[in-house]
Amino acid sequence: MDVHRSRFVPYPASAISALAFSRSSDSGYTGPLPALKLAIGRANGNIEIWDPQKGLWVQEAILLGNNISIDALAWTQDPDEKDAEGHVLPGQQRLFSIASSAAITEWNLATGQPKRRSTGNFSEVWCFAAQPRWKPQKNSEEEARAQELIAGCGDGTIVLLSTTDDDLQFKRFLARVSGKKARCMCITYQNRDRVVAGFADSMIRIYDTRNGSLLRTMSLGVSIPGAPKSALVWQVKCLPNGDIVSGDSNGEVKFWDGRTYSLVQRISGHESDCLDLIVSSDGRTVMSGSIDGRMAIYRQSTGDQGRKSWARSSHRRVHSGEVKAMAAFDSKGMSVVVSGGSDLTPMVQPLREYGKENLRALPALPQQPPVASAPKARLVASWWEKSIYVWRITKQSTVDSVPEPQRPRKLVARIGLDTKDNIQSASLAFDGRLLAAATTTEVKVFQLRKRMELDALAVRKLAVPGDFATLGAHVIEFSPDGEWLAGATPEGEVHVVRITHDTENPKHLQVLSKAVELERQHRSVQPSSAFKAYERTVNRLTFAPDSSVLVAADRAGYLDSWILEGHEDPTAPAIDIAKHESKVGSSDAGSDSGSSSDSSDEDDSNIIFFGQHWTDNPAAHLLPKLDSQALVMTFRPSRLRQNGQSMVNGNPGIHSTRNNPHAHSHELPRGEHRLWVLTAKHEMFEFDVLAGRLSDWSRRNPTATLPDDISKIRDRVMGAVWDVEAQRQRLWLYGSSFVCMLNVGVDLADSGHPQALTKRRRKPKGDSEGYESDRKRRKLESGAGGKVASALRNGAPEIVKRHEEDGALTDVKLNGQEKLTQDSDNDDDEDDERMDLQLTRIRNGGNDSDALSAVAKSTGERQWWCTFKYRPILGMVPLEDDSDATDGGPLEVVLIERPVWDVQNQSS
Amino acid sequence: MATSNDVARRTGSKRKHESHEEPSAETAKKARRSNKHESSPPQTTDAERAYAKKRERKQARRRTKHTTSIPSKADKTDHEEQATKQQASRERGEVQPASQRAAEKKARRVAKRQGKGGVMPDAPSAQPVPAPVASPVQRIARTPPSARSEEAEERRPFPNWTLSTPSAGRFLDHDSIFVQDESGDEYLLAANEREVQLLSLQSSLVVRTHPAPVGHSVACLAVDEQHDNVVRVAYSDETTSLWDWTIDEQVEGRLTANGAVRAMAHARMQSGERSALYYIAHSGGQDAIYGQQGLLHSTKEQLQAILVLGDAEYILARSQAALTIGVRKEGDRSKAGYTWFELPLAVASTCLDARLLPAPLSGKKGAKGRPGLRLAIGNDNGEIHLFDNVSSLFPREGQRSLPPPRILHWHRDAVSSVKFSQDGNYLISGGNETVLVIWQLETGKKQYLPHLTSAIERIVVNSEGNRYAVHMGDNSIMVLNTSELKPVANFAGLQMLSHVEQSKEMVCHTPAATLHPQDPSQLLLSVPASQPKLASDIGVRPFLQTFDIRNSRHITRQALTRNNVTDLNLGPGGIPVLPPDVDLLAISVDGTWLATVDEWMPPASDVEHLASTGADLELQRQNRREVYLKFWSWDNDQALWTLTTRMDSPHARSNGDIMGPGKVFALVSDPSTKGFATIGEDSCIKLWRPRKRTSQSAAPKGKSDGPVVEWECKREVQLVSDNERADSPMNAVIPSSSTSRSLAYSADGSMLAVAQASSGTDDIPVVHFLHTFNGDVVSKPGLAATEVTGLGCLDRYLIVVSHPAVYVWDLVTDTLKRKLKLRSPEELVGTGTTLLAINEGDSTFALVTSQLGNSKVKVYDAHQFKSQYEQSFDTAVECILADKGARGYTLLFADATIRTLLSSATPQARLESEAKTELPVAARQSLHANDPADGGRVELDVNMAEALGSANADGYQLRKSVVEDQEDDRPVVRPEQLAGIFDIGQSFAMPPVKDMFRAVVELYGRKPYMQPEREASV
């Protein structure tokens, strides 16, 4: 594989400015638990939605903003409801943000657009907080009420907003503090009725939200010598017992009694401003982050005189820049603190297991690569905000005959979109003649043409049918032959348009004026979901290599597939609107599966393009729901590529030789269309899409056969590139920190390591067996990095040796404060085993230090390979040799890295 | 020859010790003196009885004393002052009767005293402190500390020479102990290997010492907390003894411990029982903890410190990798055993402190549970782990837990010491950063005491919590007042660089040390800021310490180069940039100028990228070397040396390489006039002379006194490196591999002898003679068979030290006068070194041969070249210095002790200053008288004659003028000066009478060439 290691893409990244978990703890939920989400707000207005998935940390979506920094984020959940059968339906989770304005924005998670903005007649909102969720009291008949929002403003006003009835309404002014420095810096609820607000005049004020009365004012007191006279209260938080913690611009963390509102203890936590605080759910741990990147942890302990007192336990420099925002989720299984700041990277630290587990950096770059390539034209496109950059990558010739070295790359087009929103997705056709870009509200398609003597491409905008153009799209994808463009709208619909040569000007391409909406199967979403529409949003689209099959996947893990019926017939009318399919009469494959055809009743027309039309995959209903959303979804290329010599049994994918005089064929695409899927839980499946079942390969190679070195990678996969030759089928997977290769042409299981397999086979059977063990292993971790080896652990040891009477030494295990390590023995053994395995592998592959590899005995080829050399990866896209003398050349990819220092330099 | 006077003096001084405790008024003293000798036996018994009584009633002792000797208990400090002032007169008065008495004493006693012998009269700390009041039993049980029997045996053949007991020395790496006597005066008990010292916080003086038995060293100390007048001392010979420091008595005989005691602690027993001793003993590869009940615990870990807390509820010991905690089992307090836990530590621990927390009230019956235990452990990473309460470790199985510790991380390097304050609210820690950090545990605030003079090694908090004793890396203990963090007392020792064993870049520094020519009791030496602790530390010596040998007291310390004691000076790779190393120093003959040579090379890691091989690396480092020759003038007002002239790169590189300066191999001071001579890598001799600056405009302000003096190179003489190879073209190519060069001035400064040692060549070494006046050089090969490592001129003789032998050449007759074999050649193969010191005062020279940590000192006289004195030492002699005042030699040992070798019978004692000038004249005469033996020699003789003659006249002139200068004024002795002699401290800390007398004579008379006292005794 030839790698163009490139850092030329100036992809901008911006600092983290806000963080919020959708809930802080699992406790207190009577009804079903909604899925946990983490929202990360950035300085460019983007909000990333992450699914912690018990420590897997999948980035699910990016809600694009408009370059106004997100100052704070808050989640609410509507009250639970009961349906007719008495099932508790969890209330929907809603996300709110504030961004340096007088507005509070609610986001539509599904479409990724702001849903509504609420402004009262108040000034810029500096901070806001959501009321704690209503909990049913034992003896009260009170009805569940939606959470309120409280916002503190720059002029000292505190505003109450209501979120009742899926709305956001200004409710009333709670208080107005006058004074020059009366800026409300932070606000939090002490209980459902009391709020604690910290102000820039070094005061903390307590209000009763019911009547707006000021209950108490607490002053930070005399600041340390040399500091400004009044300190800013950067953050206040409340402990579960009502005690208040504050962090101020002197770096002091103060603890206040929650009943008497008096200062209990002051601890100088940082040498610089303490910007944010979190508290653990048991109220015995507090963490603070400061402007110098350090994070300190405070623990409550029993002091000298039996008095409970707080003490700073340790600190660590976690971020290279400031720690702007922190969020904690502390529950039985997962217990983490996520922090972020100007160094772009969200850091996950264990909270309960602080010091015993590693911290983990989540990728700072988008997990859906904003990169596309036209391999044939050797073009690479990258997009951000409203612009698209297209580069041409020259072939790196190894021959010396080239007289003058060519520039390795050239920026050949720079397209600025005149749209309201930022680009969600873009796609380049395989031959590089077409470029499509989509925002949440618009889709634009461009034709790219080479100019005669200039390097730069000529860009021509194509007219796009109205509904397709205005609906916008989350994902947009050209078919490999460049004739179809599919887009998944924010509402979760999939639309397809046909692109053809302009009849009048053969050099021009045109988009046929009709778009067709492909019906998705109706599925009853799990009733317990608190993210209904969001989960059904399509976020992956892929065409088969012969462009005859289209598969869409949504966040819940459902797959929808459609096939292209018939053969292309240039003589047929470009757009032929046929009547309903059932009336036309089904052909050999016309046994329409019930649900799909039923659902398309009202949409009663089939649009036939040149004798072809899209129809539901008859076997679509057989495709199972994935355990989690698909991260990589790609069709296995047939053995032959277009430039291959022989056609064994594949579809060449070009239709030029097949001219069928029949106007309208219902012939289904032939051959097997094998869809290779890797889910968010790194489960590996391969489906025979047309047959609606797992492929033979997938049956032989369940997830468990994934090599350990790949399955233990914590970063999620971002994309895949195929490297197919006559003898081998390699799949290159990459995530933000790794690139790994799987030889999927052969079975993974029969090569490699019997040890690994025997170990696995002890476990119960099933496709998700690997996952089960995986999860079991992870269950003991709190969601951040893995356990710290006890030798490296700095602090309390796990084992103490006791000397027995006879002089022997026995190990005494120390149970943690939480008794959760019942089966830690087992866990340790397993870890040891894994360690051994890894060691033997390292020994075996000793000459290759950064790659752990296994070599198949039969072919002498590597079964898998993994490297962490390239990081962080923005994307990896394939290229093809554009010279005619092609075949069997090594795969050529462009690997785009965005090192953090690069990003920071640029932004500063 | 043991004179009766010696005995008398010694007994006198002993009596002084005997009496120092007793408050004295003038009358009381008189009375006491009258009955002193006669009442000695009853005194003994009385005191003994008193000691017995003291067990019951502490006051008894004082009363007993009152009855025996001292009628009144005067104000203590007042008494001390008086005693100090009166000491001299008292001593003087005592000499006579004492000598009479000595004559009557039994021969045995004399012999015994003699054995203890060379009581260094200058070192009060070295004064033997036998307990004359000890009971006979005790006397048997105790080896008289001063009775160095084997040395006495050896010394008998050398009656003219006395070797003092060692003084100075390094403080043990052991916490000192705060103690208080009954009157509330605070003291500190500290120990070096030789003795336990009682240091007074009032006066910063050593009050009393308790020497270790011969051949053994002090290992550790512990004070019985209930009877804090008694300190238990453990020795390296696995024995311990109890010393009552208040009355300077050994209380009980020596007990044998179960191995080499490494640390001890006393437990305070609440139940009124006698406190129990707990200690760590090392034997047979195992460390064991012993206590009241015998062996408590043994482990393979190397235990390093022991802490016994609260009624011996907990016993804590620390090794690098683990913390051992013993918890007393439930049950009868005295019999119950301990449960032992070992807490593994991920990072090597460096220090430990623990503190008891009040016991929680357990549920039933309101009985108190086990008290909590708070731990602070400092580690190598600079972190302090503070375990709030580890008592959760000790309940029954299954409930054990250990909450993670608080991590206090401020120190950059390993934490050397951590201690809880007395009230438990603070933690005090120190390390290499020279900052005392005070952690306020409640708020997390830190308070700093920065810019201490040296790295902190240990911190001790006294029981009231109002004093911290800070042991520092420069071998000093500073006692701080906790309320304002101001020093209360300071005890500084000799700071000589210690060689850490197995050091990677072991540069075997010979200490750059010299005695002040005008005041031979002052030793000047270059010292490191802190002693290197790890093998990787390279000791460099950027400081100058002035040390009073006579009183064994530190005088001053000043920086001679830039240094980074308190700043972090790290290179880009995190490797510390070391300060320059002062490896040569010399003082001009009048004591007003100091010349130093310091050298600096960048760390190897900084030039690694430039070098391919190891040799190349060294070359690259040398190319970037910095060498400075600095001249310092003595500033009387500030009592400091002030830099006057700095010569950058005084010598060039040997092979004509323009890169970097060459090494300076030797620096000597001209014995006749203000001037220095250096020789460097470039085989160039440079003579440096002061010069008055002519341009008045550039005169610096504020210095109205006299013209500005700067130094310049008066003469530069290039030596041909070797005769045969002088013209060889190879010479330019092959870099000279010479490793050292020696320089020696003749006594009158007219001739400079130079020898080059080139290792690796078999050439016959050449000694060059330089006429300092006109620069003529005469070279003479064949003065020694192998490379010359030392040169010295004594009278007309040139002493050439080479590897297996020392040659004494008579320069006048050019004959080999004597060849002195050192040890057998086989013995000297390898690392042996030979040091030479020449004392013109008594025309002797001393040779020290050292090998593998053993040294042998031999003293020869310049006339018969007979060995006058011979002595072997277990510890290496690092440096030998001749006392210019005809007093013998000062020996510096590797363990930072100093011993003085004194010639008591001065056969060639020159009492007048003319004696000095006599020598060159005699030499000249002899030169002329001698017939040249061969043609080649004539020239040398003539040259030398001229050189000697002319320089002689010159030197004579100079000296005369100096003398005249001094005689210009009649000696005005100010009272402060007298007070400076007598007001040193308490009476018991006074230097011997002889020295005080000499000091007084120095004040009133002239230069102390004569030894009036000795005169009297002969």
Side-chain angles (χ1 to χ4, degrees), chain A residues 18 113 134 226 232 234 377 428 430 437 470 606 659 877:
Chain A
Q113 289 165 297
W134 178 84
L232 309 175
W234 277 117
L428 261 178
F430 191 78
T470 53
N606 269 343
N659 286 334
V877 286

Side-chain angles (χ1 to χ4, degrees), chain B residues 568-808:
Chain B
L568 176 65
N569 199 353
L570 287 183
I575 292 150
V577 178
L578 293 170
D581 182 41
V582 176
D583 58 351
L584 296 170
L585 59 86
I587 297 188
S588 72
V589 66
D590 59 351
T592 52
W593 292 95
L594 171 74
T596 61
V597 175
D598 57 86
E599 183 187 321
W600 180 84
M601 285 203 275
S605 56
D606 282 7
V607 292
E608 243 163 16
H609 60 285
L610 296 166
S612 48
T613 61
D616 200 16
L617 179 71
E618 199 49 37
L619 189 69
Q620 292 292 346
R621 284 187 70 194
Q622 283 171 6
N623 284 347
R624 286 158 182 78
R625 179 158 59 189
E626 290 173 16
V627 179
Y628 298 115
L629 171 64
K630 290 174 179 163
F631 297 97
W632 311 72
S633 70
W634 177 250
D635 184 339
N636 238 335
D637 301 336
Q638 297 185 57
L640 280 178
W641 297 97
T642 43
L643 182 62
T644 306
T645 310
R646 189 184 84 177
M647 306 301 299
D648 297 3
S649 312
H651 285 274
R653 292 287 289 275
S654 60
N655 48 355
D657 197 337
I658 50 162
M659 296 274 280
K663 195 171 171 56
V664 179
F665 281 119
L667 166 73
V668 288
S669 162
D670 191 326
S672 60
T673 176
K674 285 183 210 171
F676 298 97
T678 56
I679 182 159
E681 204 176 328
D682 54 355
S683 299
C684 198
I685 303 170
K686 291 191 175 177
L687 303 179
W688 307 87
R689 292 277 181 275
R691 181 173 61 105
K692 282 177 189 163
R693 191 190 281 174
T694 45
S695 82
Q696 291 301 316
S697 58
K701 289 163 240 161
K703 300 231 170 185
S704 53
D705 48 342
V708 179
V709 176
E710 59 185 23
W711 286 73
E712 59 178 7
C713 180
K714 188 84 170 294
R715 174 152 290 146
E716 186 175 340
V717 179
Q718 178 71 44
L719 297 178
V720 282
S721 64
D722 282 328
N723 283 346
E724 310 89 85
R725 288 158 108 217
D727 311 321
S728 157
M730 294 295 284
N731 203 25
V733 181
I734 303 172
S736 163
S737 58
S738 47
T739 52
S740 71
R741 290 173 172 90
S742 315
L743 274 181
Y745 261 109
S746 66
D748 58 356
S750 64
M751 182 200 75
L752 194 58
V754 187
Q756 305 198 41
S758 6
S759 65
T761 55
D762 297 330
D763 301 326
I764 299 162
V766 181
V767 177
H768 308 271
F769 296 96
L770 171 72
H771 193 303
T772 55
F773 213 64
N774 56 16
D776 290 345
V777 178
V778 176
S779 300
K780 177 135 179 49
L783 288 182
T786 55
E787 65 167 293
V788 178
T789 56
L791 278 179
C793 288
L794 178 62
D795 278 8
R796 54 203 267 197
Y797 304 107
L798 178 72
I799 299 147
V800 181
V801 181
S802 72
H803 205 41
V806 174
Y807 304 87
V808 180

Side-chain angles (χ1 to χ4, degrees), chain B residues 44-45 47-48 130-140 142 249-250:
Chain B
T44 306
T45 51
E48 190 186 335
V133 288
S135 74
V137 182
Q138 282 162 351
R139 204 171 279 156
I140 291 161
R142 175 184 177 195
E249 261 179 58
Q250 186 152 348

